[in-house]
C-alpha cells in the first residue's frame, strides 16, 4: 500500500461515527467504578448527605485529564504509558511501577471479587453465599476473557454499563427530593465537621486508578493511531467521566435519601443489603431490584475490566524489562500469549483466599487506599513525558498551561489523599 493510500485509510477510519468511539472510554469508566466508587459514595451520602457531592465531580474532572494525558502520549508516540516510563525515565520509575502493580493487583482483585460476592448474595437472598459467589465470579471472569475475545468483552461490558447506569440513575431520580441542597452540595465546596477523611476517600475512590492505563490497550484494539484521533479521544474520555460523575452523584444521592435524611445507621456488614431493603421500603420493589442489579452490574463490570486489562499491563511490562524487540512485545500482549495467560491466572487465583475473610468492606477500603497512591505517580510522570518527551513533530500538542495546572493540582491533592489514607498524616 502506498503512503497516500495509507493516509487515506487512516483519515476514513477517523471519520466514522462517534457512537463507536465512546466504547473504550466507557469501558475504562466501568472498570474503574466498581467497588471503590460504590462504597465511598454510599458512605459519603449516608454520613454527610448531599454536602460533599462536589468531591465526586472534582475527582471525575481531575481523572479525566489524567486519562487524556495517557491517551495523548500514545497517539503521539504509538507507545503505551508503561513503554514511556521504561524508555524515557530513570530505572527507579519502572521498578516502583512493577512493585506497585503486583501489590495493587492483589488488593483490587480481592476487593472486586468480594464486591461481586456481596452483590450476588444480595440478589439471591443468600442462596449463593458471598464467599463462594466471589470465587464463582472470579472463575467466570477468567473463562470469559479467555474465550470471549475483545469483541465479546466489549459487548458484555456495554450491556453491564447500561444496566448499572440506568438502574442506579432510576433509583436516584425516584428518591430525588431536594434540588436546592443538591445544587448547593454540587457547586459550593464545603467539608462538614468530621468529614475530612470521607471527602478524601471519595476523591481517591471515584474514577479508578491504575485501570486508566487500560485505555492504551483498548484504543489499540480499536486501531486508533495518530493525531487525527485526538479530538475523538477527548470526546470519548469526556463522556466516560461525565458518566462516572453522574454515577457517583446518583449513588451519593440515594444514600442521602435512604440513610442520612431518615437517620438510619449504615453498618459495614449489611451496607449493600440494607441499602437495597431501604430503597424497597421507600419506593417499592423496583427500588430493591434496581439497586441490587445496579450494584452487581457495577461490581462485575469492574471485575471483567480488570481481569481483561491487567494481564496486558503485566505482559507489556514483562516484555519491556526483558528488552524484547518490538515485534516480540507485540505478540506478548496478545490475549493468546503465555505471559498474558499467566498474568490472568495470577489475577484469578491470587485473591481467592480473601473471599473467605469476613471483612469484605474492609478489603474494599484497603483497595481504595492503595489505589490512591498511584494517582500522584501518574500525574508526575505525565507532567514530565507530555512536556519534555512528547515529540513536537507528530501533530499532537504538548501540555497547555491549563492542563499542567490541573495535573499539578491533582499531584498535590492526591499525594495528600494517599498519605492521609495510608495513616501517615492526620487532616
Amino acid at each position: 500500500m502506498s503512503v497516500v493510500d495509507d493516509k487515506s485509510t487512516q483519515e476514513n477510519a477517523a471519520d466514522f461515527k462517534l457512537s463507536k468511539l465512546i466504547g473504550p472510554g466507557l469501558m475504562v469508566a466501568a472498570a474503574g467504578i466498581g467497588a471503590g466508587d460504590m462504597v465511598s459514595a454510599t458512605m459519603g451520602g449516608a454520613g454527610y448527605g448531599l454536602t460533599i457531592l462536589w468531591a465526586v465531580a472534582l475527582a471525575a474532572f481531575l481523572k479525566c485529564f489524567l486519562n487524556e494525558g495517557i491517551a495523548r502520549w500514545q497517539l503521539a508516540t504509538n507507545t503505551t504509558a508503561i513503554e514511556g516510563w521504561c524508555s524515557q525515565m530513570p530505572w527507579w520509575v519502572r521498578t516502583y511501577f512493577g512493585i506497585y502493580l503486583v501489590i495493587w493487583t492483589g488488593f483490587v482483585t480481592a476487593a472486586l471479587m468480594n464486591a461481586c460476592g456481596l452483590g450476588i448474595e444480595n440478589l439471591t437472598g443468600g442462596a449463593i453465599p458471598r464467599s463462594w459467589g466471589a470465587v464463582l465470579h472470579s472463575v467466570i471472569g477468567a473463562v470469559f476473557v479467555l474465550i470471549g475475545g475483545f469483541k465479546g468483552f466489549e459487548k458484555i461490558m456495554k450491556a453491564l454499563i447500561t444496566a448499572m447506569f440506568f438502574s442506579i440513575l432510576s433509583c436516584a431520580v425516584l428518591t430525588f427530593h431536594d434540588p436546592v441542597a443538591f445544587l448547593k452540595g454540587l457547586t459550593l465546596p464545603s467539608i462538614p465537621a468530621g468529614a475530612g477523611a470521607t471527602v478524601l476517600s471519595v476523591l481517591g475512590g471515584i474514577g479508578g486508578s491504575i485501570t486508566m492505563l487500560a485505555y492504551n490497550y483498548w484504543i489499540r484494539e480499536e486501531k486508533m493511531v495518530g493525531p487525527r484521533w485526538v479530538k475523538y479521544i477527548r470526546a470519548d474520555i469526556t463522556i466516560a467521566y461525565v458518566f462516572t460523575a453522574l454515577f457517583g452523584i446518583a449513588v451519593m444521592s440515594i444514600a442521602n435519601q435512604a440513610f442520612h435524611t431518615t437517620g438510619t445507621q449504615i453498618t459495614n456488614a449489611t451496607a449493600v443489603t440494607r441499602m437495597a431493603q431501604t430503597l424497597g421500603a421507600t419506593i417499592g420493589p423496583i427500588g430493591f431490584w434496581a439497586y441490587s442489579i445496579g450494584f452487581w452490574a457495577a461490581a462485575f463490570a469492574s471485575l471483567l475490566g480488570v481481569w481483561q486489562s491487567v494481564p496486558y499491563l503485566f505482559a507489556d511490562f514483562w516484555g519491556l524489562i526483558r528488552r524484547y524487540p518490538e515485534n516480540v512485545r507485540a505478540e506478548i500482549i496478545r490475549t493468546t500469549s503465555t505471559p498474558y495467560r499467566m498474568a490472568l491466572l495470577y489475577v484469578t487465583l491470587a485473591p481467592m483466599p480473601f473471599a473467605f475473610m469476613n471483612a469484605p468492606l474492609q478489603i474494599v477500603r484497603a483497595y481504595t487506599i492503595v489505589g490512591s497512591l498511584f494517582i500522584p505517580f501518574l500525574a508526575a510522570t505525565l507532567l514530565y513525558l507530555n512536556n519534555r518527551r512528547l515529540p513536537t513533530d507528530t501533530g499532537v500538542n504538548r501540555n497547555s498551561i491549563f492542563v499542567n495546572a490541573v495535573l499539578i493540582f491533582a499531584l498535590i491533592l492526591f499525594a495528600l489523599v494517599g498519605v492521609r489514607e495510608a495513616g501517615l498524616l492526620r487532616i
Side-chain angles (χ1 to χ4, degrees), residues 12 24 26 32 80 100 118 141 146 156 163 180 193 196 206 208 223 239 258 266 270 277 309 345 366 374 378 422:
N12 290 336
L26 284 176
T80 63
Y100 179 86
L118 285 170
L146 282 175
I156 194 170
V180 174
I206 298 293
K223 298 183 171 37
I239 291 169
I266 187 170
T270 60
Q277 290 173 345
S309 64
L345 186 65
F374 178 71
L378 178 60

Side-chain angles (χ1 to χ4, degrees), residues 62 66 375-376 379 405-415:
L62 294 176
L66 290 165
I375 303 302
V406 172
L407 292 178
I408 290 169
F409 178 69
L411 169 61
I412 295 171
L413 176 64
F414 284 102

Side-chain angles (χ1 to χ4, degrees), residues 165-423:
F165 183 72
F166 286 105
S167 59
I168 295 298
L169 197 64
S170 296
C171 289
V173 170
L174 290 171
T175 57
F176 185 76
H177 75 293
D178 192 348
V180 174
F182 180 89
L183 289 174
K184 183 178 179 182
L186 190 61
T187 60
L188 299 176
S190 64
I191 302 178
T198 301
V199 168
L200 294 176
S201 176
V202 170
L203 288 171
I206 298 293
S209 56
I210 207 170
T211 49
M212 289 187 284
L213 298 178
Y215 199 76
N216 282 151
Y217 304 93
W218 290 339
I219 65 174
R220 182 175 283 175
E221 291 278 5
E222 297 283 8
K223 298 183 171 37
M224 300 178 188
V225 180
R228 286 185 58 82
W229 292 103
V230 171
K231 64 180 180 180
Y232 294 97
I233 291 296
R234 285 174 173 161
D236 181 33
I237 292 171
T238 299
I239 291 169
Y241 283 95
V242 168
F243 168 86
T244 299
L246 287 174
F247 189 87
I249 288 168
V251 171
M252 191 171 286
S253 179
I254 295 167
N256 166 67
Q257 181 64 12
F259 295 99
H260 186 69
T261 60
T262 61
T264 304
Q265 183 67 37
I266 187 170
T267 64
N268 288 337
T270 60
V272 178
T273 302
R274 188 168 296 181
M275 176 76 107
Q277 290 173 345
T278 302
L279 284 169
T282 304
I283 58 178
I286 190 174
F288 176 88
W289 289 109
Y291 179 81
S292 298
I293 292 170
F295 182 93
W296 172 81
F300 190 45
S302 190
L303 182 144
L304 275 181
V306 168
W307 265 233
Q308 202 275 347
S309 64
V310 168
Y312 278 135
L313 307 183
F314 276 97
D316 197 7
F317 188 69
W318 174 254
L320 287 163
I321 62 174
R322 299 287 294 179
R323 299 183 179 180
Y324 291 142
E326 186 175 347
N327 63 319
V328 176
R329 287 194 288 108
E331 292 299 318
I332 284 176
I333 62 172
R334 293 185 184 276
T335 57
T336 55
S337 74
T338 298
Y340 182 96
R341 292 185 170 184
M342 291 300 293
L344 178 61
L345 186 65
Y346 169 63
V347 166
T348 304
L349 299 179
M352 284 193 178
F354 294 97
F356 299 93
M357 293 177 61
N358 192 28
L361 295 185
Q362 287 80 357
I363 292 171
V364 173
R365 175 67 171 175
Y367 147 60
T368 63
I369 292 171
V370 174
S372 69
L373 299 174
F374 178 71
I375 303 302
F377 169 81
L378 178 60
T381 56
L382 287 176
L383 281 166
Y384 177 75
L385 291 176
N386 287 350
N387 282 302
R388 301 291 299 276
R389 295 296 183 180
L390 192 146
T392 58
D393 59 351
T394 63
V396 179
N397 294 330
R398 292 185 172 185
N399 290 351
S400 66
I401 294 175
F402 178 72
V403 169
N404 281 331
V406 172
L407 292 178
I408 290 169
F409 178 69
L411 169 61
I412 295 171
L413 176 64
F414 284 102
L416 292 174
V417 170
V419 172
R420 169 58 179 82
E421 291 292 338

Side-chain angles (χ1 to χ4, degrees), residues 117 119-133 136:
I120 199 66
E121 181 181 52
N122 180 59
L123 270 174
T124 61
I128 300 178
R130 176 190 57 80
S131 56
W132 288 108
L136 181 65

